[in-house]
Amino acid sequence: MRPEQFKAWRRSLGLKQKEAAEYLGLKKRMIQYYEKGKRDGRPVEIPKSVRLACFALKQGVADYNGERILAFEAEPTLSEKK
């Protein structure tokens, strides 16, 4: 997944960087690095686990607890839970 694909993925779901970070279990700064493709001037590769999580979210899967799938649309973001 290239940086521009990652950004397009996030936008296709209508997520802000902070929301994407919450769904992926990352810091907002990592989302920014992935979208730029660089961190401190060095290339940043998007890990396979993040790429797979992006695919799951695109398919409507927000989480999997080992027994059941939680739907992306039904789960509030962390900021909404507060």
Side-chain angles (χ1 to χ4, degrees):
M1 180 179 252
R2 295 183 316 273
E4 60 274 9
Q5 291 173 311
F6 183 82
K7 189 173 191 174
W9 162 82
R10 177 180 62 80
R11 288 182 168 176
S12 74
L13 293 177
L15 297 175
K16 296 180 180 178
Q17 288 181 337
K18 183 177 180 180
E19 294 167 331
E22 290 171 348
Y23 275 111
L24 294 171
L26 301 169
K27 301 265 187 210
K28 179 182 168 188
R29 192 74 185 129
M30 287 309 300
I31 301 300
Q32 294 168 337
Y33 293 146
Y34 292 157
E35 289 187 1
K36 284 168 104 177
K38 294 181 182 180
R39 178 180 181 179
D40 299 327
R42 296 186 198 145
V44 172
E45 184 178 334
I46 300 168
K48 186 175 187 176
S49 58
V50 173
R51 296 191 313 261
L52 288 170
C54 289
F55 175 76
L57 287 166
K58 186 73 171 177
Q59 299 304 308
V61 177
D63 201 356
Y64 178 67
N65 69 4
E67 295 177 1
R68 67 183 186 99
I69 294 171
L70 301 175
F72 173 67
E73 292 81 12
E75 184 184 59
T77 62
L78 296 178
S79 58
E80 292 172 337
K81 291 178 183 177
K82 293 178 184 174

